[in-house]
Amino acid sequence: MKVLHVVPDDSASESLREAVRLASRRQEVLSFNDDLSCGPIAWGTPRERAAWRSYIHAPILEEDLTTFWHRVETADERLVIWFGRHSASELAFFLALADRLGDRPYDIVEVSQPDGAVGLVPTERLAALIETARPITPEEATDAGRLWQRLRAQNAPFRIVTPVGLASAPIDHFDSAILEQAAKVWLSAARVIGSTMAHNCEPYLQAGDTILLARLVALVEEGELLADGDPWDMRTCRVRLPD
């Protein structure tokens, strides 16, 4: 039976395609290009997600999301879902898939620590992990789908990893972490975002640079940070704390 590997992002797909090649297999890899750990999920539609991504200056095509979900839901191959429970975006990806797939059988590969996310696993180790794929149990699939439905009903701005799974979080959840990495002197916005990510990656990978930049822009608009340049361009803009 043919196999379709489904992974959380483009970085993971590139690594897994190379791993599949190293394992001398001819199997397709399909990647998801959205981060469901942040933004609206109440409707669960590509249009909802595409509109929000455009709002935070990180556009994705509604058609691409529609194509992804159609490909997964109509696949006649054996599905293998890859994700890490220590990554908010990857865990959200898995829960959303579990909700969509319902009682359809599929396999999963869970990436554990120290990597925590599929995209962080070296290619050689990914090749070895191909052999660890196992069928998801009906109980696991049901629990995952129910959790995603609960998170959709809450429709919080963020979803973060906790010791007991994914949980909703408020819009200002990462604001203090961003402000802690700023200073009274001018620093590049990219440096502040990078430092925020570095100081908030243990034990869980909670947020990517795109959504943290959106929160940095909000802090500038609220007067919590000063900006020299366009804050949406973190490569050229500098920010600092007010005097």
Side-chain angles (χ1 to χ4, degrees):
M1 186 178 187
K2 292 183 177 180
V3 173
L4 175 62
H5 297 280
V6 188
V7 295
D9 55 52
D10 291 338
S11 174
S13 71
E14 292 178 8
S15 298
L16 186 55
R17 286 190 181 98
E18 179 62 17
V20 167
R21 187 191 66 79
L22 288 176
S24 300
R25 302 186 181 215
R26 301 183 68 178
Q27 298 171 345
E28 184 181 352
V29 178
L30 177 68
S31 65
F32 188 55
N33 64 349
D34 194 6
D35 178 358
L36 295 174
S37 70
C38 50
I41 55 173
W43 295 349
T45 64
R47 176 168 297 181
E48 174 188 49
R49 295 297 302 176
W52 179 74
R53 289 290 298 257
S54 179
Y55 172 74
I56 64 167
H57 293 224
I60 53 177
L61 294 177
E62 178 183 344
E63 293 79 4
D64 289 346
L65 293 175
T66 300
T67 298
F68 171 85
W69 289 116
H70 178 75
R71 179 73 178 89
V72 170
E73 292 171 341
T74 61
D76 55 9
E77 301 99 325
R78 169 187 163 225
L79 291 178
V80 180
I81 312 301
W82 293 68
F83 70 101
R85 291 189 184 274
H86 283 72
S87 163
S89 63
E90 293 196 2
L91 185 51
F93 158 81
F94 164 66
L95 297 178
L97 274 168
D99 184 37
R100 290 262 190 165
L101 293 173
D103 58 2
R104 169 177 174 162
Y106 55 93
D107 291 356
I108 59 174
V109 175
E110 291 188 48
V111 172
S112 59
Q113 295 290 65
D115 302 297
V118 180
L120 299 179
V121 181
T123 302
E124 294 77 9
R125 197 181 307 159
L126 280 178
L129 286 175
I130 293 174
E131 299 294 339
T132 69
R134 65 171 179 85
I136 192 168
T137 68
E139 293 77 16
E140 288 175 319
T142 298
D143 289 347
R146 286 176 177 170
L147 175 53
W148 189 246
Q149 290 169 15
R150 184 161 65 250
L151 291 168
R152 284 184 58 196
Q154 295 167 351
N155 199 32
F158 288 106
R159 285 153 289 281
I160 60 171
V161 186
T162 73
V164 294
L166 210 61
S168 295
I171 190 66
D172 60 354
H173 181 78
F174 296 105
D175 289 4
S176 61
I178 295 172
L179 292 172
E180 286 175 3
Q181 300 309 314
K184 293 288 187 178
V185 298
W186 292 108
L187 299 173
S188 74
R191 175 177 173 179
V192 173
I193 295 301
S195 296
T196 303
M197 293 176 63
H199 283 79
N200 288 274
C201 65
E202 294 292 344
Y204 306 117
L205 303 170
Q206 299 285 24
D209 58 352
T210 298
I211 191 58
L212 290 178
L213 177 61
R215 289 310 305 159
L216 181 144
V217 172
L219 290 171
V220 170
E221 293 173 345
E222 295 165 6
E224 297 290 333
L225 287 173
L226 301 178
D228 176 24
D230 179 3
W232 284 110
D233 187 350
M234 66 177 172
R235 292 172 297 180
T236 62
C237 180
R238 300 185 302 166
V239 295
R240 70 174 178 87
L241 296 170
D243 294 329

